[in-house]
């Protein structure tokens, strides 16, 4: 698979500071910020700082430090947002996954029941 990264995508612009964001957590390898169109009381996006298009790209090519940093950010978000009754995590990839922004991100959704896994 050839993963061509478009550095003009909106999350690349957020990482460069060209577009503001509501940051929840940041470390050396990842940034977590609130989704601009929240689908639940908690809707946070966790993104790596490196140029990865999708989950499969990140899983294949990110370094161990980048992967640990990403999941450390996921952990920090879950801790900070206090969702004792649980949450939904979603990584959409490419067309069939309905991915809109071509920079790998994990949605963390909580604060209310999120319903069945898929509605097609
Ligand atoms: P996808 O469909 O790619 O998995 O999700 C992309 C998400 O990015 C959507 O939930 C959308 O609301 C969010 N989003 C798009 N543009 C912006 C933006 O400029 N700022 C923030 N915070 N979220 C955005």
């Amino acid at each position: 698979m050839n993963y061509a990264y478009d550095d003009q995508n909106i999350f690349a612009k957020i990482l460069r500071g060209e577009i503001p964001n509501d940051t929840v957590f940041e470390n050396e390898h990842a940034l977590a910020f609130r989704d601009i169109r929240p689908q639940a009381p908690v809707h946070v996006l966790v993104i790596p700082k490196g140029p990865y298009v999708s989950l499969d790209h990140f899983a294949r090519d990110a370094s161990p430090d980048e992967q640990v940093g990403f999941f450390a950010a996921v952990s920090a978000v879950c801790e900070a947002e206090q969702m004792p009754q649980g949450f939904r995590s979603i990584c959409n990839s490419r067309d069939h996954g309905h991915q809109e922004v071509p920079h790998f991100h994990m949605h963390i959704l909580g604060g209310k029941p999120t319903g069945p896994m898929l509605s097609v």
Side-chain angles (χ1 to χ4, degrees):
M1 180 79 187
N2 177 32
Y3 300 102
Y5 184 79
D6 170 13
D7 68 4
Q8 293 307 305
N9 79 74
I10 202 93
F11 294 170
K13 291 178 180 177
I14 284 175
L15 284 169
R16 290 195 294 266
E18 295 167 12
I19 292 176
N21 75 91
D22 185 358
T23 297
V24 174
F25 179 82
E26 181 170 14
N27 64 23
E28 182 184 354
H29 295 295
L31 177 69
F33 53 95
R34 298 195 189 283
D35 196 292
I36 205 167
R37 292 187 295 273
Q39 307 284 318
V42 175
H43 189 171
V44 175
L45 301 168
V46 185
I47 69 173
K49 292 187 174 176
Y52 301 103
V53 174
S54 55
L55 172 63
D56 48 335
H57 187 197
F58 183 75
R60 190 187 73 178
D61 290 351
S63 70
D65 282 354
E66 289 176 303
Q67 299 201 13
V68 167
F70 178 82
F71 282 103
V74 171
S75 171
V77 168
C78 292
E79 196 77 20
E81 295 300 311
Q82 300 185 354
M83 300 174 287
Q85 290 174 286
F87 59 91
R88 166 78 41 77
S89 48
I90 301 172
C91 301
N92 299 319
S93 296
R94 300 191 291 285
D95 290 353
H96 283 191
H98 211 284
Q99 181 178 12
E100 292 173 13
V101 179
H103 180 110
F104 169 49
H105 50 283
M106 180 182 286
H107 298 254
I108 306 283
L109 297 132
K112 70 169 190 184
T114 53
M117 190 165 71
L118 286 178
S119 72
V120 191

